[in-house]
Amino acid sequence: MALKKILFADDDPEIRSVVRVLLESEGYEVIEAADGEEAVRLADETMDLIILDVMMPCKNGILACVEIRSRLTVPILFLTARTQDSDKTVGFSAGADDYLAKPFSYAELAARVKALIRRYHVYKGKETAVGDGTISVRGLSISRLDGTVFREGEEIRLTDLEYRILLLLASNRGKIFTIENIYESVWEEPFFYSATNTVMVHIRNLRKKLEIDPKNPSYVVNVWGKGYRIE
């Protein structure tokens, strides 16, 4: 079986070396990039995960993430010393899937990497998903088997987290999910207060891709004071 491939971009060669050794010890193949420009150039569909430092020369991690996300759905993890909620909002809006603050422990990094890759392989069709079939919602077609989503025959490229939010709501049409419900079901972690903004940013990104008019959504609908649902 081929090794899972990770692209790691950081302008500090010592950090790249340490992280590469740690990830290789876990059985991953690691491709290094010294800045955002190189990360964009090296990123392709063979990657199972991309890890980006935020503050890099030539092109910072945010801009690199936007470019990569425009053509790939591979999960993206940010490593950064900037941990304010506003910084996280910018990162998630750019298309990141997770955010790990520096300094971080090896155990925490390994856990995040494992979780992101596992979710990607299960929900984007690189491994056999649990349960097949297609869910249809007013012109929207959501495949359980290969993780694809089509609207009126046109494919909509979603990140794995956006797909999982959509699948959760579409699989339980009419049921209202609180932000806490969504976070614990999709991220598979205990809910914490600042995760509210994380969920809302991902839903906003999902609506931009799904809806004809994101300001007046017809698929992912907000139930005031309660949560979200798909009718």
Side-chain angles (χ1 to χ4, degrees), residues 3 65 154 205:
L3 298 179
C65 180
E154 179 180 355
N205 291 343

Side-chain angles (χ1 to χ4, degrees), residues 217-230:
S218 60
Y219 291 114
V220 181
V221 178
N222 178 259
V223 181
W224 183 253
K226 295 182 179 180
Y228 298 89
R229 69 182 175 192
I230 288 180

Side-chain angles (χ1 to χ4, degrees), residues 43-56:
D44 61 30
E45 65 279 354
T46 68
M47 304 298 173
D48 297 284
L49 174 67
I50 296 173
I51 303 175
L52 299 174
D53 182 38
V54 171
M55 303 303 294
M56 292 188 291

Side-chain angles (χ1 to χ4, degrees), residues 186-197:
V186 171
W187 275 259
E188 299 178 0
E189 297 176 355
F191 179 77
F192 56 97
Y193 178 74
S194 61
T196 295
N197 196 46

Side-chain angles (χ1 to χ4, degrees), residues 34-105:
D35 55 52
E37 288 282 6
E38 188 175 16
V40 171
R41 186 171 68 254
L42 292 175
D44 61 30
E45 65 279 354
T46 68
M47 304 298 173
D48 297 284
L49 174 67
I50 296 173
I51 303 175
L52 299 174
D53 182 38
V54 171
M55 303 303 294
M56 292 188 291
C58 300
K59 188 186 296 290
N60 65 37
I62 299 295
L63 295 177
C65 180
V66 171
E67 287 197 37
I68 292 169
R69 182 57 74 222
S70 69
R71 55 189 174 86
L72 298 173
T73 59
V74 57
I76 297 175
L77 169 65
F78 274 141
L79 300 182
T80 180
R82 303 176 65 175
T83 58
Q84 297 296 318
D85 283 347
S86 58
D87 297 320
K88 293 181 180 181
T89 298
V90 171
F92 288 131
S93 296
D97 295 274
D98 207 349
Y99 210 100
L100 188 56
K102 294 180 177 178
F104 52 84
S105 70

Side-chain angles (χ1 to χ4, degrees), residues 2 5 46 50 53 65 80-81 91 98 101-102 113 139 143 151 156 158 169 180 185 189-190 201 204 214 216:
K5 186 185 293 186
T46 68
I50 296 173
D53 182 38
C65 180
T80 180
D98 207 349
K102 294 180 177 178
V113 166
S143 172
R151 185 186 62 209
I156 299 173
L158 302 179
L169 298 177
E180 181 176 351
S185 297
E189 297 176 355
V201 169
R204 184 164 68 241
N216 295 287

Side-chain angles (χ1 to χ4, degrees), residues 6-209:
I6 298 173
L7 172 62
F8 176 47
D10 195 299
D11 61 316
D12 187 326
E14 290 188 12
I15 293 178
R16 290 203 310 274
S17 179
V18 169
V19 170
R20 177 176 55 78
V21 170
L22 293 175
L23 292 177
E24 286 180 345
S25 72
E26 291 290 321
Y28 300 110
E29 177 185 353
V30 180
I31 309 299
E32 294 183 35
D35 55 52
E37 288 282 6
E38 188 175 16
V40 171
R41 186 171 68 254
L42 292 175
D44 61 30
E45 65 279 354
T46 68
M47 304 298 173
D48 297 284
L49 174 67
I50 296 173
I51 303 175
L52 299 174
D53 182 38
V54 171
M55 303 303 294
M56 292 188 291
C58 300
K59 188 186 296 290
N60 65 37
I62 299 295
L63 295 177
C65 180
V66 171
E67 287 197 37
I68 292 169
R69 182 57 74 222
S70 69
R71 55 189 174 86
L72 298 173
T73 59
V74 57
I76 297 175
L77 169 65
F78 274 141
L79 300 182
T80 180
R82 303 176 65 175
T83 58
Q84 297 296 318
D85 283 347
S86 58
D87 297 320
K88 293 181 180 181
T89 298
V90 171
F92 288 131
S93 296
D97 295 274
D98 207 349
Y99 210 100
L100 188 56
K102 294 180 177 178
F104 52 84
S105 70
Y106 167 60
E108 185 175 15
L109 173 62
R112 298 290 182 91
V113 166
K114 182 178 180 180
L116 285 166
I117 291 177
R118 179 183 58 79
R119 289 199 298 252
Y120 180 54
H121 276 251
V122 170
Y123 286 90
K124 300 308 291 184
K126 291 194 172 187
E127 292 176 0
T128 302
V130 177
D132 56 7
T134 299
I135 300 174
S136 298
V137 182
R138 300 189 305 280
L140 198 66
S141 177
I142 307 158
S143 172
R144 291 181 179 272
L145 183 60
D146 61 11
T148 56
V149 177
F150 288 83
R151 185 186 62 209
E152 304 295 348
E154 179 180 355
E155 185 174 6
I156 299 173
R157 294 174 64 86
L158 302 179
T159 68
D160 68 305
L161 289 174
E162 291 164 356
Y163 172 80
R164 292 190 68 185
I165 292 172
L166 177 61
L167 183 63
L168 175 69
L169 298 177
S171 299
N172 299 273
R173 291 180 65 175
K175 180 178 178 179
I176 299 172
F177 285 83
T178 65
I179 287 178
E180 181 176 351
N181 294 153
I182 294 172
Y183 185 83
E184 293 190 342
S185 297
V186 171
W187 275 259
E188 299 178 0
E189 297 176 355
F191 179 77
F192 56 97
Y193 178 74
S194 61
T196 295
N197 196 46
T198 299
V199 174
M200 293 177 68
V201 169
H202 279 82
I203 288 177
R204 184 164 68 241
N205 291 343
L206 176 60
R207 282 172 165 171
K208 287 179 181 178
K209 297 177 180 181

